[in-house]
Amino acid sequence: MNPVSSNSNNSGAPSGSGAGGNGTGGSPTFSPLYQQIKALITQSLQSGEWKPGEMIPSEVELAGRFKVSQGTVRKAIDELAAENLVMRRQGKGTFVSTHHEARAHFRFLRLMPDEGVPHHPDNKIIEVKRMRAPAEVARLLDLKSGDAVVYIKRVQSFEGAPTILEELWLPGLLFKGLTAERLVEYKGPMYGLFESEFGTRMIRATEKIRAVAADASAAEFLHVLEGTPLLCAERVSFTYGDKAVELRRGLYLTSQHHYQNELS
Amino acid sequence: MNPVSSNSNNSGAPSGSGAGGNGTGGSPTFSPLYQQIKALITQSLQSGEWKPGEMIPSEVELAGRFKVSQGTVRKAIDELAAENLVMRRQGKGTFVSTHHEARAHFRFLRLMPDEGVPHHPDNKIIEVKRMRAPAEVARLLDLKSGDAVVYIKRVQSFEGAPTILEELWLPGLLFKGLTAERLVEYKGPMYGLFESEFGTRMIRATEKIRAVAADASAAEFLHVLEGTPLLCAERVSFTYGDKAVELRRGLYLTSQHHYQNELS
DNA sequence: GAGTGGTCTAGACCACTAA
DNA sequence: TAGTGGTCTAGACCACTCA
């Protein structure tokens, strides 16, 4: 239970040479105590010991469990909160983040209406199938070419206007029971489904954005002329441990919407 | 010098009711001590007491100056560092951030080559003039319609290939001496020039991104056919106090480059 | 060796939430 | 009233930089 007893300097004693037995085994990995605590907490999040939406143990309790001061636990949790893995609520506790929240939606859905308030999209599933990963998909998802993947194609509409044409590729091993029926009947963001039903939580993502011309197929789905400029966002999403678990290629019609970004 | 003595609980005494005289005047603004310290430090940054690239006083010295503990100063600086206003360097000190650094460049230049390492662009100034702000520009820059603005148009090339066509609007009051000659002879990022010569430091920005078709003019500058899909980024930049100080409209050719973004 | 930021502790009190 | 996170202090030591 005790974290790596590296430069142990605990207990009021003035200390000098560590009483914890250091300098022996000698794995070359040193890191601050709070980083070790953070890693331990992250493990519990990843293993599902504390599920999305649930409260994690209080700072005082974790401090006792890990045999460190509350301040050290606090710094660990501070970083986890900054990374949106947990959310702190004064007077209540610290809770595991979940995609079943309005706040999380807009972290990953950056398309905003030019005027008016954001609406939730209507989803229409076009296609769901299992297939072998093409080389490019395999490379981005860190799979072997030919490994099983789930392919999803859908259109999202705002106020009745088709606006997003999206294709997704998911590792087949992680999404065994994913069917078109389940996708269709599920209301809410897809990441919520992934989190609840498949235990895979998206933590962060990288996107590469380009402008492209609508081909015949895209033009039909989005009700525009072939050649219409579309915004193309290629996203790779990661879960705990920086493991890639989703490839998504979205085509956005940006005549009434824009991709909102903050630079800081 | 002493920050607002609100819920003053300093000096080892057990304390009870504040000795600092609270509950009298009663401005309804309460904030944690470290936030007040943060505001004071930000003021010094804004006023130029410590200039970009310079070291700010040490935590110990600031703690003495503000009559608070080092931990409180530390928390204030932690947040400023998180907002990229200052940079900490262990063993050396805390330094005011500057745009004259490779690190800062890529926070605001998100266009990356699809292959190979990023290069610095060649800039070609097309036009610089003073004009009266159109209504739309005035609105976004929080000016009155008709106020003086500086207008800049330029093309940026990577490896000889024109890739970015940019228009900028700057408040005339803040950029009085800005001339085409100065822009042409200056090497490096424009924000560096703004910071050094005009004392205006860009802190953060918001961008709205769309896909558009190249018009005749853009097509000519970027050496593409009219109608070619281009990525259009409309940026509003802010300095201290969330004051808008730049409007920028960029057209990006994304056949060999992409806009890189991180979602977290 | 002096000075800086970085880590860690121990303890106090405050602000908020819910029973 | 009890429990939670949030703030603040005081002091110790570590890791790094530089003269």
Side-chain angles (χ1 to χ4, degrees):
Chain A
M1 285 302 160
N2 217 338
V4 176
S5 60
S6 51
N7 34 0
S8 68
N9 184 26
N10 308 356
S11 65
S15 127
S17 52
N22 193 13
T24 56
S27 68
T29 60
F30 284 100
S31 69
L33 242 191
Y34 77 90
Q35 290 284 8
Q36 302 175 35
I37 303 300
K38 182 184 169 189
L40 290 173
I41 296 175
T42 302
Q43 278 178 29
S44 292
L45 291 173
Q46 181 171 8
S47 73
E49 181 179 341
W50 311 313
K51 301 215 160 12
E54 289 181 5
M55 180 179 159
I56 74 172
S58 74
E59 296 176 354
V60 173
E61 182 176 340
L62 289 173
R65 181 185 305 189
F66 296 134
K67 298 283 196 301
V68 300
S69 81
Q70 183 182 355
T72 300
V73 170
R74 187 164 186 75
K75 180 147 189 179
I77 295 180
D78 276 346
E79 291 204 352
L80 293 172
E83 295 168 16
N84 290 306
L85 295 191
V86 299
M87 286 190 17
R88 325 191 72 144
R89 292 188 222 160
Q90 188 176 33
K92 300 180 75 172
T94 301
F95 297 79
V96 184
S97 294
T98 169
H99 285 286
H100 299 279
E101 282 180 348
R103 303 191 38 180
H105 296 7
F106 297 103
R107 290 223 322 276
F108 291 94
L109 175 57
R110 305 295 274 267
L111 203 67
M112 308 288 273
D114 289 341
E115 319 231 326
V117 297
H119 286 79
H120 283 226
D122 286 332
N123 299 320
K124 184 178 164 195
I125 303 293
I126 306 294
E127 185 181 2
V128 178
K129 68 176 179 183
R130 307 191 155 261
M131 56 184 287
R132 307 219 159 265
E136 177 73 356
V137 171
R139 186 177 66 80
L140 291 169
L141 287 181
D142 207 17
L143 300 174
K144 287 197 189 67
S145 189
D147 280 358
V149 293
V150 178
Y151 170 85
I152 301 171
K153 185 172 186 174
R154 67 167 178 176
V155 172
Q156 295 187 279
S157 300
F158 294 93
E159 315 274 83
T163 306
I164 303 179
L165 172 61
E166 232 169 16
E167 295 177 291
L168 288 81
W169 293 263
L170 305 165
L173 274 179
L174 293 177
F175 295 88
K176 280 189 183 296
L178 185 54
T179 63
E181 291 69 33
R182 194 70 194 88
L183 273 173
V184 168
E185 77 187 28
Y186 186 82
K187 300 307 175 194
M190 215 181 282
Y191 287 154
L193 175 69
F194 294 169
E195 166 187 303
S196 301
E197 311 263 323
F198 302 94
T200 295
R201 202 187 131 66
M202 309 298 181
I203 302 297
R204 65 174 194 91
T206 68
E207 286 195 333
K208 296 183 178 184
I209 303 171
R210 296 181 183 80
V212 301
D215 62 15
S217 169
E220 189 177 335
F221 280 116
L222 295 177
H223 299 181
V224 295
L225 291 178
E226 195 172 337
T228 299
L230 300 176
L231 202 148
C232 171
E234 185 180 284
R235 174 190 298 183
V236 180
S237 305
F238 301 86
T239 186
Y240 297 101
D242 272 341
K243 189 183 173 208
V245 287
E246 179 204 50
L247 171 61
R248 187 184 285 222
R249 182 171 169 277
L251 295 176
Y252 303 81
L253 177 59
T254 56
S255 48
Q256 307 290 328
H257 295 76
H258 61 269
Y259 184 102
Q260 180 77 34
N261 201 25
E262 306 286 323
L263 307 184
S264 56
Chain B
M1 284 304 160
N2 217 339
V4 177
S5 60
S6 50
N7 33 0
S8 67
N9 183 26
N10 307 356
S11 65
S15 129
S17 52
N22 194 13
T24 57
S27 67
T29 60
F30 283 100
S31 70
L33 244 190
Y34 77 89
Q35 290 284 8
Q36 301 176 35
I37 303 301
K38 182 183 169 190
L40 290 172
I41 296 175
T42 302
Q43 278 179 27
S44 291
L45 291 172
Q46 182 172 7
S47 73
E49 180 179 343
W50 312 313
K51 301 215 163 7
E54 288 180 8
M55 179 179 158
I56 75 173
S58 75
E59 295 176 354
V60 173
E61 182 176 341
L62 288 174
R65 180 184 306 189
F66 295 133
K67 298 283 195 302
V68 300
S69 80
Q70 183 181 354
T72 300
V73 170
R74 188 166 186 74
K75 181 147 188 180
I77 295 180
D78 275 346
E79 290 203 352
L80 293 172
E83 296 168 15
N84 290 306
L85 294 190
V86 299
M87 285 189 17
R88 323 191 74 143
R89 292 188 222 159
Q90 189 177 29
K92 301 179 77 172
T94 300
F95 298 79
V96 184
S97 295
T98 170
H99 285 286
H100 300 280
E101 281 180 348
R103 301 191 39 179
H105 296 8
F106 297 103
R107 287 223 322 276
F108 291 94
L109 175 58
R110 305 295 275 268
L111 204 68
M112 308 289 275
D114 290 340
E115 319 231 325
V117 296
H119 286 79
H120 282 228
D122 287 334
N123 299 320
K124 184 179 164 196
I125 303 293
I126 306 294
E127 184 181 3
V128 177
K129 67 176 179 186
R130 306 189 155 264
M131 57 184 287
R132 306 219 160 265
E136 176 74 356
V137 172
R139 186 177 65 80
L140 291 170
L141 288 180
D142 206 18
L143 300 174
K144 288 198 189 68
S145 189
D147 279 359
V149 294
V150 178
Y151 170 85
I152 302 171
K153 185 172 185 175
R154 68 167 178 176
V155 172
Q156 295 187 278
S157 301
F158 293 93
E159 317 272 83
T163 305
I164 303 178
L165 172 61
E166 233 168 16
E167 295 176 290
L168 288 82
W169 293 264
L170 305 164
L173 275 178
L174 294 176
F175 295 89
K176 281 189 182 298
L178 185 54
T179 63
E181 292 70 32
R182 194 68 195 86
L183 273 172
V184 169
E185 77 187 29
Y186 186 83
K187 300 306 175 195
M190 215 181 280
Y191 287 153
L193 176 68
F194 294 168
E195 165 186 303
S196 300
E197 312 261 324
F198 301 93
T200 296
R201 203 188 130 65
M202 308 298 179
I203 301 298
R204 66 174 192 91
T206 68
E207 286 194 333
K208 296 183 178 183
I209 304 172
R210 295 181 183 81
V212 301
D215 62 15
S217 169
E220 188 177 336
F221 281 115
L222 295 176
H223 299 182
V224 295
L225 292 177
E226 195 172 336
T228 299
L230 300 176
L231 201 149
C232 172
E234 185 179 283
R235 175 190 300 183
V236 180
S237 304
F238 301 85
T239 186
Y240 298 101
D242 272 341
K243 188 181 172 211
V245 286
E246 180 205 48
L247 171 62
R248 185 184 288 221
R249 182 170 169 279
L251 295 175
Y252 302 82
L253 178 60
T254 55
S255 49
Q256 308 289 327
H257 295 77
H258 61 269
Y259 184 102
Q260 180 77 36
N261 202 24
E262 307 285 324
L263 307 185
S264 56

